[in-house]
Amino acid sequence: MIESRHKYLFLFPALFTLIAIIIFPLVYTFRLSFSSWDVVQPTLDFIGFDNYVRVFNDMRFWESLATLGTVVLSVVSIEYIIGFALALLLWQDIERNRFFRVLFIIPMMATPVIISVVWRTMFHESLGPINDLLTMAHLPTVPWLSKPTSALIAVIIVDIWQWTSFIFILLLAGLLSLPHEPYEAAAMDGANRFQTFWHVTFPMMAPITIGILIIRIIEASKIMETVYVLTSGGPGTSTETSAYYIFIRSLREFQIGYSAAMSIVYLLLMILALMLIAKGLTRGLVSKGG
Amino acid sequence: MRILVYKGIKYLVLILWSAFVAGPFLWALSTSFKDDAAVVSGATYIPFVDFEPSLDGWKVLFSATEGVNILGPFISSLVVTLVSSLVSLALGTLAAYGLSRFTFRAGPLGNTDITFFFISQRIITPVVLAIPYFLLLKMFRLLDTHVGLILIYIAMLLPIVVWIMVDFFNNISTELDEAALIDGCTPVEAFYKIILPECTPGLVVTGLLCFIFAWNDFFFAFTLTFADTQLLPVSIVALNSSKVPWWSLSSSSLIAILPLVFLAIWLERFLTRGALLGPLK
Amino acid sequence: MVKNRMTKIVVTIALAAGLSAGGVARADKWSEKYPIKEDVPGPASYEATSKKDYKGRTLTILTHAIPVMGEPTALHAKQFEKLTGAKVKVVHVPFGDLFQKAMIPFQTGQAAYDVMFYGSLWIGDFHNYLAPVPGEYIGMPQMQEVTRNYKDVATWEGRMIQFPVDGDRHYLKYRSDVINNPELRAKYKEKTGKELRVPQTWKEYAEMGRFFNNWDWDGDGEKNYGSAEVVARDNLMFSAIISRVAPYAKHPDVKGGFFFDLETMEPLVNTPGWVEGVKDFVEAQNYMPPGGNNFGLGDEIFSFGGGQTLFSYSWDDAFVQAMEPKSRIRNLVGAAPLPGAHKVWNRKTGKWDKFDTPNRAPYICWGWTSAVIKASKNKDMAFDYLAFFANPANHASDLLVGRFGVNPYRTTDFDPKFYIKEAGWAPDVAKTYCATLSGMDKSQNRVFDLRVPGVNQYMSSLAAGVSKALAKQLTPQQAMDEVAVEWKQITKRLGKDRVRKAYANVVALEDNLKR
């Protein structure tokens, strides 16, 4: 670490810009969570902890949290594995493989609201291509959006399709900015491909991996549009995630006070979970690198 | 032999993934040339062979009454996205460098906590922020303006920039800074003359992510505007009627992605240039 | 030589143009410039509107996505601009986002729009923010033609606050090439011992749906199925379930509420009548197309309209889709009133009453309506725009463009000749269509939407409950018990008196009381 009188010049512009923009919405949301603002009375009255008590008794909220957990755990781990594998396959041989590199970045550029509709048409069981191609290949068709398990899998597939590119591009950039010395050393030691990966690449990538996983977990947890378009939470409540549930309660039903309370609870739980995850990852990945 | 097997597996994986990635786009491309009759008769793929192509899906994007005119929104989107991305990138990179190089203390909180504070601003679900943000912009008379949206997007993008760039700066040895300082650079000079060029891959990728997040935001662009400021996702979604027009949604999904594809091609060149120059092959 | 040929072509074109112009006998100067047949004189006609001067003023309109309702909004906005010199801005929004787009400015006191197109069931939430329709517009001849159902829908506590621009209802659509096919009739009779006919009850609908499910009965090489319905949870499914429940739960002789008992405000959703409808709905999953239990309205339209299923019931769209000029089942469909029920729950006696003639309860389902916002500074221009939108010339031409989603709601709309002549429908189709639609206006046993504040809370709770029953997470009775509990909580939160006061209006319509 370097010390400098100028250090605040670096941090403060960003910090204060951010705080200036978000302070009002944050405080306001917190205040809303203690009010009964709803569709008939848009007022900031004070009803104590009523909304919070309701959150704790709302089974649908907790179920949606569990669904969210399943979705996020699956998508982030699968995306990480695939994204890392693809990045490793493509970070050398710079001149060749440009096509693949560009292609693999593209899915995350698709507007989520729209591309979900395209996916919905793909999953359509009688008019869409997926079941049609399965039939042509003499494979059994899948009730994509109409059975709880397959609907959840459909949601997961769309997320993987779109966001593996996010992890891929970040890991690729990470790999490309790695220092060269360790590789030269490893080559001198006669390490093979796998050993080089395990003892050189992986440890050096550990810090950025943690950063990427955390941000992916945060973003994946906001999954809402995909759910809305593909299944609208159904069949039953099988694909209802927290963000989607909060969306229904807030902007569909205008239970603004109540959804503010749900968001605050969600925010606190997420912060707690992320701190635990970050700690776990740091211990698991970084210490090992040594 | 082993090299050959490795190559075989490698390209098999790459091609399979390419098919998965390209699938929806190819389907959208095919669908964009269909009309009612071609859609309801089951899955079809190749125009002229499987179905009679129609240009309706594309025409609707450029006519004012039968569809939306996407040219204005396209330019608005470009302006808002560029400005908010550049501002976020500038401020965020500075902060990330600061957090990576200097020690900050605020009571019991240190650097990691400040970094986490930044990213934690991404956690809260956007839907509940709709009314607070609406009131905020109303207070400053910024509803339905480009400036209003740019501010909101800066708040949305800054955390991402800081969070990602800290990791990239951490990867660069502090010895470089120290050498620069010894050479008589001020810390600010050391930052942009020596360190910044070192992490172009990170910078470029982060810039791209900012661009994508802002370009694709539907929610705030939708909630905080009325009629004057229309961004691309909002005007495209205006085609998502109760009878979902598969054709025009497909064509619009492709149109919206087009500028980003060029960006991706340029980015890929830029990203790999540093690696090409280096000794690593 | 070349020149000669050119002259010939020019002459031919000129002749053709002259002929076609001469062919339209009553063409006027407006029908040359605008896509109408002729201007109909009246206070909102092209002629009258062109005399208004709104130069330098701007009208902002919130409407649905293109094309349904959104396209006519934009089209008539452009015309209005040309005629009056006003500037008109139109914002198109998907249905799922429309409520919030309107409600956030309302709640925060921002005058964002002048005119708004939206679902008429939200009248309970919006009425405080809407401007009543002035007497001069109510007095216009075009408004006098609006049928009783749609005047009722537009009215809140005795005052008209919504401007009728569309008529919506749920009715049954069937494939006439199956129902009227002698071979299939014989086959059905042989296999089931029953007559194949337009289903009179939901039980009959189910029997036929099951029989005609999962085999190719129209010989096109693709399998056909029984019924296409709106089942996706948060995609208007709540309206489908009301259609299915209505004949079991709306007793013609029991007054005082379909959703609640107006006296006690106890929810009725878990009474046997309601549960019976939910049971039917759960059972119906057996005769839907693959993926049919996740169909939204759009899928239902494509499925029935594309010739995949025997039946469908909900708004006009699927019927209109089937009757599109390029459709392969054009003129092979028919319209009929929603199926009824032989048994109806009587909550006064706590027993099922038997009905030899099936009980029918037409659901005057919510649909597109429009209104002028109270906070608007351009109310004069806004009402003029709406009156122009719905003037007889525009209305007649909008009715003929399927994708516009403008459906019959005026006494003049129920003439089969109009559809035969202008749209080229087969006479039988036009007749069943007009008879079905106008028949609903005569009913004395109508069901309306729950037009109370917070309607979205009730409906999303209903949809969630029914969806659990559909996914077999709960039995229909358990699911509806859960809904009833939630409805009590919602009523308590919103204020019992507030909800009761609003609901009394709905009950008054259903019980045919004059208020």
Side-chain angles (χ1 to χ4, degrees):
Chain A
M1 287 282 168
I2 312 160
E3 259 323 309
S4 163
R5 291 176 291 122
H6 301 298
K7 66 183 184 183
Y8 296 105
L9 277 180
F10 289 99
L11 178 63
F12 281 3
L15 192 62
F16 289 130
T17 309
L18 184 66
I19 289 175
I21 303 175
I22 58 150
I23 187 81
F24 175 79
L26 269 189
V27 172
Y28 204 85
T29 304
F30 190 66
R31 177 65 187 82
L32 274 173
S33 72
F34 294 98
S35 79
S36 65
W37 185 314
D38 69 358
V39 69
V40 289
Q41 45 190 26
T43 46
L44 279 184
D45 54 351
F46 185 78
I47 56 165
F49 283 90
D50 284 10
N51 284 331
Y52 287 93
V53 173
R54 208 180 136 198
V55 174
F56 286 104
N57 293 318
D58 187 348
M59 278 317 289
R60 238 174 109 180
F61 176 72
W62 299 103
E63 279 168 24
S64 74
L65 216 54
T67 311
L68 180 73
T70 319
V71 172
V72 171
L73 217 64
S74 346
V75 300
V76 175
S77 51
I78 297 174
E79 285 164 12
Y80 176 69
I81 293 167
I82 299 177
F84 205 176
L86 295 174
L88 285 170
L89 288 177
L90 291 174
W91 74 296
Q92 290 164 326
D93 290 338
I94 294 299
E95 283 294 5
R96 273 175 290 154
N97 300 331
R98 283 200 191 281
F99 169 77
F100 291 117
R101 252 177 259 126
V102 173
L103 182 66
F104 293 173
I105 315 174
I106 290 178
M108 70 171 158
M109 299 174 169
T111 321
V113 202
I114 303 290
I115 206 69
S116 306
V117 183
V118 172
W119 270 101
R120 186 181 162 100
T121 68
M122 307 229 320
F123 284 125
H124 199 292
E125 285 172 46
S126 47
L127 305 179
I130 298 181
N131 273 356
D132 189 55
L133 293 173
L134 287 175
T135 314
M136 277 192 226
H138 300 288
L139 292 168
T141 58
V142 180
W144 286 109
L145 304 175
S146 46
K147 288 271 171 339
T149 316
S150 47
L152 203 62
I153 291 174
V155 170
I156 289 172
I157 288 178
V158 175
D159 197 87
I160 290 174
W161 177 83
Q162 181 145 35
W163 294 109
T164 300
S165 48
F166 179 89
I167 291 186
F168 164 75
I169 185 69
L170 278 169
L171 286 174
L172 186 68
L175 287 169
L176 289 173
S177 56
L178 287 182
H180 315 126
E181 295 80 13
Y183 286 91
E184 284 153 17
M188 285 199 347
D189 292 347
N192 67 21
R193 208 183 275 269
F194 179 76
Q195 286 164 332
T196 314
F197 169 75
W198 194 242
H199 295 292
V200 182
T201 314
F202 194 69
M204 285 200 296
M205 291 295 284
I208 195 163
T209 292
I210 296 170
I212 294 170
L213 287 179
I214 297 276
I215 192 169
R216 243 339 264 152
I217 290 170
I218 291 176
E219 297 302 318
S221 301
K222 289 197 263 189
I223 185 166
M224 180 185 99
E225 275 137 356
T226 316
V227 173
Y228 176 49
V229 173
L230 287 184
T231 63
S232 69
T237 48
S238 54
T239 54
E240 187 165 80
T241 63
S242 310
Y244 181 69
Y245 181 58
I246 294 175
F247 161 70
I248 290 290
R249 289 292 192 226
S250 62
L251 294 181
R252 271 294 178 88
E253 304 183 354
F254 264 71
Q255 303 198 39
I256 303 295
Y258 180 53
S259 17
M262 280 199 284
S263 314
I264 299 286
V265 172
Y266 168 82
L267 179 69
L268 295 177
L269 288 175
M270 269 307 269
I271 289 180
L272 196 70
L274 285 173
M275 290 202 301
L276 290 176
I277 291 170
K279 217 168 235 149
L281 284 175
T282 315
R283 194 170 301 156
L285 296 177
V286 178
S287 58
K288 181 198 136 297
Chain B
M1 188 60 207
R2 270 183 63 191
I3 275 291
L4 223 61
V5 172
Y6 168 77
K7 281 238 147 119
I9 293 174
K10 171 176 167 180
Y11 281 97
L12 187 72
V13 170
L14 290 179
I15 287 167
L16 278 178
W17 189 257
S18 302
F20 178 60
V21 165
F25 295 117
L26 296 175
W27 171 248
L29 188 66
S30 163
T31 308
S32 70
F33 292 105
K34 294 181 187 173
D35 59 8
D36 282 68
V39 162
V40 296
S41 54
T44 48
Y45 306 93
I46 307 163
F48 296 107
V49 181
D50 288 345
F51 61 91
E52 199 57 46
S54 138
L55 281 178
D56 292 357
W58 291 91
K59 271 190 218 146
V60 80
L61 293 180
F62 300 98
S63 82
T65 54
E66 277 172 51
V68 290
N69 199 338
I70 57 163
L71 194 65
F74 197 93
I75 292 166
S76 286
S77 260
L78 211 58
V79 171
V80 171
T81 303
L82 272 177
V83 174
S84 55
S85 299
L86 288 177
V87 173
S88 308
L89 211 53
L91 294 179
T93 314
L94 275 176
Y97 179 74
L99 286 166
S100 155
R101 291 301 191 261
F102 310 114
T103 319
F104 295 94
R105 289 236 135 255
L109 304 175
N111 282 30
T112 44
D113 301 298
I114 299 171
T115 318
F116 190 74
F117 166 78
F118 271 99
I119 197 64
S120 68
Q121 296 315 311
R122 295 279 313 167
I123 297 174
I124 202 153
T125 34
V127 286
V128 291
L129 294 175
I131 286 184
Y133 266 141
F134 194 93
L135 288 168
L136 177 72
L137 292 193
K138 187 176 178 230
M139 242 185 288
F140 293 96
R141 299 186 178 282
L142 287 173
L143 278 170
D144 203 14
T145 62
H146 291 87
V147 179
L149 284 179
I150 288 171
L151 285 178
I152 306 300
Y153 287 169
I154 290 174
M156 185 170 97
L157 300 177
L158 256 182
I160 301 179
V161 178
V162 173
W163 182 253
I164 294 178
M165 286 312 293
V166 166
D167 280 330
F168 278 100
F169 285 126
N170 281 344
N171 263 1
I172 294 165
S173 161
T174 47
E175 287 162 24
L176 278 177
D177 308 57
E178 281 153 10
L181 291 177
I182 289 164
D183 285 352
C185 290
T186 65
V188 181
E189 279 173 340
F191 165 66
Y192 77 86
K193 278 191 184 152
I194 310 294
I195 304 301
L196 212 48
E198 275 295 308
C199 58
T200 15
L203 204 59
V204 170
V205 168
T206 311
L208 175 85
L209 292 180
C210 286
F211 200 93
I212 292 173
F213 275 88
W215 183 262
N216 280 338
D217 169 72
F218 166 74
F219 185 73
F220 290 118
F222 175 80
T223 314
L224 304 174
T225 60
F226 311 133
D228 289 334
T229 309
Q230 290 268 292
L231 300 195
L232 196 60
V234 178
S235 60
I236 282 175
V237 166
L239 293 170
N240 192 1
S241 214
S242 46
K243 180 183 134 189
V244 185
W246 288 26
W247 39 94
S248 51
L249 271 171
S250 302
S251 58
S252 55
S253 71
L254 296 173
I255 282 269
I257 215 172
L258 204 63
L260 297 179
V261 171
F262 288 112
L263 199 68
I265 294 171
W266 172 81
L267 165 107
E268 197 273 339
R269 297 258 153 194
F270 206 86
L271 194 58
T272 49
R273 196 171 63 192
L276 267 183
L277 297 174
L280 186 75
K281 281 182 291 299
Chain C
M1 188 60 203
V2 172
K3 201 179 165 194
N4 203 355
R5 192 180 293 162
M6 279 301 292
T7 335
K8 238 183 212 164
I9 292 172
V10 170
V11 169
T12 322
I13 291 172
L15 267 177
L19 274 178
S20 61
V24 186
R26 293 166 302 178
D28 53 39
K29 67 167 175 167
W30 301 112
S31 62
E32 280 161 25
K33 272 189 258 168
Y34 297 96
I36 52 167
K37 210 159 167 243
E38 56 173 333
D39 194 21
V40 180
S45 67
Y46 276 80
E47 186 69 41
T49 306
S50 73
K51 301 219 167 72
K52 306 218 149 112
D53 182 13
Y54 289 130
K55 227 169 249 121
R57 293 175 63 185
T58 308
L59 190 69
T60 314
I61 304 175
L62 176 64
T63 187
H64 186 219
I66 291 163
V68 180
M69 222 61 211
E71 197 175 330
T73 309
L75 174 71
H76 301 315
K78 276 270 171 302
Q79 296 165 341
F80 191 75
E81 277 187 334
K82 271 193 211 146
L83 292 169
T84 66
K87 179 153 179 37
V88 187
K89 291 186 203 154
V90 181
V91 187
H92 300 278
V93 172
F95 184 78
D97 302 311
L98 193 52
F99 186 76
Q100 83 189 65
K101 189 82 172 166
M103 205 60 186
I104 292 177
F106 282 162
Q107 289 207 331
T108 52
Q110 175 79 27
Y113 309 100
D114 300 305
V115 177
M116 184 166 95
F117 288 79
Y118 61 95
S120 59
L121 80 165
W122 295 327
I123 194 171
D125 293 322
F126 287 169
H127 67 273
N128 283 330
Y129 308 105
L130 306 179
V133 180
E136 52 178 305
Y137 294 90
I138 297 175
M140 283 185 180
Q142 64 187 62
M143 193 68 95
Q144 297 306 311
E145 291 171 0
V146 175
T147 65
R148 154 180 169 244
N149 279 346
Y150 301 101
K151 277 184 190 153
D152 286 350
V153 163
T155 304
W156 183 262
E157 294 186 339
R159 281 206 300 181
M160 185 183 260
I161 56 169
Q162 293 181 152
F163 200 103
V165 287
D166 182 24
D168 283 288
R169 74 288 282 165
H170 276 195
Y171 60 91
L172 171 69
K173 294 121 207 165
Y174 60 89
R175 286 288 291 276
S176 54
D177 57 334
V178 173
I179 299 287
N180 300 331
N181 181 322
E183 269 174 53
L184 290 173
R185 283 188 164 203
K187 191 171 173 186
Y188 187 74
K189 176 98 185 180
E190 185 199 326
K191 291 272 163 64
T192 64
K194 291 183 180 144
E195 292 299 330
L196 181 62
R197 54 174 181 172
V198 176
Q200 302 298 305
T201 64
W202 282 111
K203 302 291 179 208
E204 236 180 310
Y205 181 99
E207 281 165 9
M208 294 171 192
R210 267 196 307 270
F211 183 84
F212 287 99
N213 191 49
N214 208 22
W215 55 284
D216 178 15
W217 37 254
D218 60 0
D220 65 350
E222 299 272 345
K223 274 187 184 171
N224 296 94
Y225 302 90
S227 169
E229 317 185 19
V230 182
V231 199
R233 194 181 81 183
D234 297 325
N235 192 336
L236 313 183
M237 178 255 261
F238 70 87
S239 291
I241 190 64
I242 294 174
S243 272
R244 276 187 167 277
V245 162
Y248 294 113
K250 179 75 174 74
H251 197 298
D253 304 324
V254 178
K255 307 288 182 199
F258 170 72
F259 295 100
F260 294 97
D261 181 337
L262 183 61
E263 276 170 33
T264 58
M265 285 311 281
E266 281 292 303
L268 300 175
V269 283
N270 57 344
T271 54
W274 273 81
V275 174
E276 190 66 22
V278 177
K279 278 185 198 157
D280 282 0
F281 202 26
V282 173
E283 213 267 326
Q285 293 181 99
N286 295 324
Y287 52 92
M288 290 177 189
N293 65 357
N294 185 41
F295 273 8
L297 180 57
D299 303 302
E300 185 232 61
I301 297 170
F302 279 141
S303 178
F304 179 82
Q308 195 179 28
T309 64
L310 176 64
F311 295 131
S312 176
Y313 65 92
S314 81
W315 291 270
D316 279 88
D317 313 71
F319 190 83
V320 172
Q321 174 83 19
M323 292 302 291
E324 286 283 316
K326 278 172 85 181
S327 162
R328 49 193 193 89
I329 57 165
R330 183 168 161 89
N331 288 328
L332 300 181
V333 291
L338 283 177
H342 282 298
K343 59 172 189 178
V344 186
W345 180 254
N346 184 333
R347 66 179 156 84
K348 289 269 149 72
T349 60
K351 279 200 211 100
W352 287 102
D353 286 345
K354 298 268 173 259
F355 279 64
D356 289 333
T357 332
N359 175 45
R360 306 277 187 154
Y363 173 30
I364 314 303
C365 185
W366 62 277
W368 290 105
T369 190
S370 66
V372 173
I373 282 100
K374 206 188 251 173
S376 158
K377 293 193 180 75
N378 301 302
K379 291 198 197 68
D380 52 341
M381 184 161 56
F383 278 112
D384 277 343
Y385 166 77
L386 288 176
F388 171 74
F389 180 105
N391 80 25
N394 283 334
H395 179 61
S397 75
D398 289 351
L399 272 180
L400 293 172
V401 186
R403 63 174 190 277
F404 282 10
V406 174
N407 307 119
Y409 67 97
R410 300 189 191 174
T411 49
T412 43
D413 294 342
F414 301 115
D415 181 5
K417 282 192 219 98
F418 175 76
Y419 303 95
I420 299 168
K421 185 158 166 271
E422 304 295 338
W425 291 13
D428 281 353
V429 178
K431 271 180 215 148
T432 62
Y433 181 71
C434 290
T436 303
L437 268 50
S438 58
M440 291 178 74
D441 262 296
K442 299 186 190 96
S443 171
Q444 294 297 310
N445 196 29
R446 301 175 297 169
V447 170
F448 284 85
D449 282 288
L450 184 58
R451 293 147 55 94
V452 301
V455 55
N456 284 354
Q457 293 184 34
Y458 290 107
M459 291 303 122
S460 105
S461 156
L462 173 65
V466 173
S467 186
K468 281 185 192 167
L470 287 168
K472 314 235 162 74
Q473 289 174 339
L474 295 174
T475 67
Q477 185 67 53
Q478 288 168 337
M480 297 317 278
D481 285 342
E482 210 178 89
V483 175
V485 171
E486 279 185 33
W487 277 29
K488 273 186 217 166
Q489 290 166 350
I490 297 170
T491 309
K492 198 173 149 215
R493 277 200 302 273
L494 293 170
K496 203 166 169 180
D497 292 334
R498 189 200 312 265
V499 180
R500 190 210 308 267
K501 187 162 170 278
Y503 189 54
N505 286 296
V506 182
V507 174
L509 292 176
E510 287 175 351
D511 293 350
N512 306 299
L513 303 176
K514 276 268 168 275
R515 281 172 76 92

